[in-house]
Amino acid sequence: MFELKINPNFENLEAAKRELLKKLPTVKSSHRCEALGRGLGYGSHSAARVASKLTADPVTVDGQAFRKYLESQGFNVSPNVLYRAIAKVAIANVVTANEFLSIWGIGFGRSQRKPDGKWEDPHERYARFKEHRSELLDDYAITPFLLSLALLARVVRTKTIRQGTGSYGVKHIAENFKCTYPDGEKLGPHYVPNGVLIAAAIHAGFMTKSHFDELGYHSLNVTFNMSKRCLDDLDDEIRPDSGRSQDRRRAEERRRLRKASPTLWGL
């Protein structure tokens, strides 16, 4: 289960209203706004508007408060509508703040060969990047974003960025993670694009480090200030049959045997 936070500033409040209009067009505007205010932890929409004009810490989104208000007005609405609307706003904020982020990761990557056998020129490569970047703003990205947040809530942060914490490996753990929305509705397992995992990590406050290949192109993957041991433990738990988990168990077994019989292993 995830915990979704958002800065309750004016821009985010207005963006959330627009998303809720798309998702709940038959609900009166006043009811949507009042429910949003309660879902952000305020007693009313008016209180949320006042807070949005002040410097404030992020608030935790409360889907049940959102649902209960709409229920009191005669509307049966899932609390996940609010989570998905706020997630859409959060993703857009990350995209705006990170100009090289796309659905596949950080940077443009190398030029690719086209169907006619020719290589992309720089303009074509950039056009492809922009298309992939726009995919982060599709509704398609919301579920993997929330799923990634659920996994990242269990990851131990470190003071510095560590080796062995590549985003591509973390995203494989995330997409196999069995978890739910706060109300119990299934959320994962679900496919998680590399760029969505990175967006979720940035939103959650993790630091990132980009990497480049031998030709100077972005590798698309980043590393994080995450505990490698924690990630390995999560991988063992979530993907016990993965190659990395099996290799780790074999290595631990060898260490155990060496400790138990040092003379035998020294032969």
Side-chain angles (χ1 to χ4, degrees), residues 188-228:
H190 189 283
Y191 174 67
V192 175
N194 187 44
V196 176
L197 183 281
I198 295 172
I202 292 172
H203 176 76
F206 286 94
M207 297 186 293
T208 65
K209 179 181 179 181
S210 297
H211 299 273
F212 301 86
D213 65 19
E214 65 276 11
L215 297 179
Y217 292 103
H218 276 107
S219 73
L220 299 182
N221 301 315
V222 301
T223 44
F224 303 106
N225 61 319
M226 298 177 182
S227 164
K228 183 179 183 302

Side-chain angles (χ1 to χ4, degrees), residues 205-259:
F206 286 94
M207 297 186 293
T208 65
K209 179 181 179 181
S210 297
H211 299 273
F212 301 86
D213 65 19
E214 65 276 11
L215 297 179
Y217 292 103
H218 276 107
S219 73
L220 299 182
N221 301 315
V222 301
T223 44
F224 303 106
N225 61 319
M226 298 177 182
S227 164
K228 183 179 183 302
R229 177 179 290 276
C230 176
L231 290 176
D232 287 344
D233 289 344
L234 286 170
D235 197 19
D236 285 349
E237 173 191 336
I238 296 167
R239 301 193 305 160
D241 296 325
S242 71
R244 187 165 73 169
S245 293
Q246 293 182 49
D247 288 345
R248 188 187 188 200
R249 287 197 295 273
R250 283 192 288 267
E252 289 175 348
E253 179 65 12
R254 286 195 294 270
R255 285 194 294 270
R256 186 187 67 79
L257 291 174
R258 286 194 185 98
K259 186 175 181 180

